[in-house]
Amino acid sequence: MRLTDRRFALLLMAPAALFLIAFVLWPIVRFVSNAFFEISPIAGGAREFVGFDNFATAFASTAFQGASIRTIAYTLIVVALEFSIGLMVALLFAALGQRSAIFRTIFMYPLMVAPVVAGLLWRFLLIDNFGILNELLGINVGWLSDPRIALFSVALPDIWLTTSFITLVLFAGLQNIPGDVLEAARLDGAGYPTLLFRVLIPLLRPVIAVALVVRGIDAARAFDIILIQTNGGPQESTTTLSLLIYRTMTRYGDPGLASAMGTVYLLGMLLVATAAIFAIWRPGAER
């Protein structure tokens, strides 16, 4: 049998496809199916079909409702600040050209830090009694103990860690914008605000959509950074959906309810990601 290019390509993709089926698709299918069962936390225990009862319990739970709101707030805080700072820094790097090479390298350093390490580092910076930030500023703010600001405080390490990712993506997008387009806009008398909002950002739509979706999903599933800093406290003010699902599964021993919460969580992220793609990128709008 002659090996055509198509068959050769399929042969090369087969190992990766099998890996994804075994370690991604099948766990997701299993996870979603568990949401329809009452499952004993004991290995090999009873497994009873209950339909949508777990979903009804999840939606009626005040803990789930509160965690959902906090997850949305956390994601909006992280993504909005990362995008704002990342866009400004990317524009600065683009304006500096080759002179920004060393600054770009330094700015990427936080990407090399593990989230757990970043969480511990910022915990020492923000902790109340002997926090370095309070000592340097001469103030006494309960960054991690005040329920009113704790959610913002635990978001700071995430912003510090991944703003450089947004910057890198936007900077790469800026490099692909034709120089003659910018020159034509300047010759037409466009000021910098007009150039930014009428030329640069519209041309960066696909890049912005990808960056926001990737970072939005990553921020929405934040777990280790929050766990290290506050473990969901104080007064559950930093308990996001990831933490709640983890506790429901391990601490409360209810795999069925945890799977129902996770399924709703997964569907919600898929809907938001799809809406963001069509609202920001607008595929086919250029035709």
Side-chain angles (χ1 to χ4, degrees):
M1 184 177 63
R2 182 172 175 268
L3 188 63
T4 63
D5 289 345
R6 181 181 180 84
R7 288 174 180 170
F8 182 65
L10 291 174
L11 186 63
L12 291 178
M13 290 189 293
L18 291 174
F19 179 87
L20 291 174
I21 290 171
F23 295 101
V24 178
L25 181 60
W26 170 243
I28 290 176
V29 171
R30 183 72 174 174
F31 179 76
V32 173
S33 66
N34 285 343
F36 299 94
F37 291 86
E38 186 72 31
I39 304 171
S40 170
I42 301 174
R47 182 183 175 91
E48 179 186 356
F49 181 77
V50 293
F52 289 93
D53 287 359
N54 285 325
F55 292 94
T57 303
F59 282 116
S61 169
T62 55
F64 181 76
Q65 296 169 10
S68 300
I69 294 172
R70 285 188 289 272
T71 300
I72 294 171
Y74 179 90
T75 304
L76 290 176
I77 291 170
V78 169
V79 175
L81 288 176
E82 284 182 359
F83 178 74
S84 301
I85 299 171
L87 180 59
M88 288 189 294
V89 176
L91 290 170
L92 178 61
F93 286 164
L96 291 174
Q98 290 299 322
R99 292 173 294 175
S100 67
I102 187 170
F103 299 108
R104 294 200 304 267
T105 303
I106 295 172
F107 198 73
M108 296 300 135
Y109 280 167
L111 282 176
M112 304 176 191
V113 180
V116 172
V117 175
L120 285 171
L121 171 64
W122 280 84
R123 184 179 179 183
F124 286 123
L125 288 173
L126 300 176
I127 200 167
D128 300 351
N129 298 332
F130 52 86
I132 298 174
L133 187 61
N134 281 346
E135 290 290 335
L136 289 176
L137 299 179
I139 57 178
N140 186 22
V141 176
W143 298 100
L144 300 177
S145 61
D146 188 342
R148 295 170 298 179
I149 62 172
L151 190 65
F152 172 77
S153 299
V154 296
L156 291 176
D158 207 347
I159 296 168
W160 175 73
L161 269 177
T162 48
T163 296
S164 50
F165 167 77
I166 295 286
T167 302
L168 183 64
V169 172
L170 295 178
F171 178 75
L174 288 170
Q175 302 308 299
N176 291 324
I177 295 178
D180 54 351
V181 174
L182 302 179
E183 187 63 28
R186 293 191 185 97
L187 291 175
D188 286 341
Y192 193 78
T194 303
L195 191 65
L196 176 62
F197 292 105
R198 295 293 184 88
V199 180
L200 292 176
I201 290 181
L203 291 174
L204 284 174
R205 270 187 191 145
V207 177
I208 292 173
V210 171
L212 292 184
V213 168
V214 171
R215 274 304 300 140
I217 292 174
D218 192 44
R221 65 180 183 84
F223 175 79
D224 39 11
I225 284 181
I226 299 176
L227 183 70
I228 288 295
Q229 292 183 96
T230 62
N231 195 25
Q235 301 173 22
E236 306 299 320
S237 61
T238 59
T239 299
T240 57
L241 280 173
S242 294
L243 277 171
L244 179 63
I245 294 169
Y246 167 75
R247 289 176 180 173
T248 304
M249 180 75 177
T250 59
R251 183 181 298 180
Y252 307 134
D254 196 339
L257 181 58
S259 296
M261 291 179 175
T263 300
V264 174
Y265 189 22
L266 175 64
L267 292 175
M269 288 196 292
L270 286 175
L271 288 174
V272 171
T274 303
I277 288 291
F278 281 93
I280 302 172
W281 185 355
R282 303 175 190 171
E286 293 82 1
R287 297 178 186 175

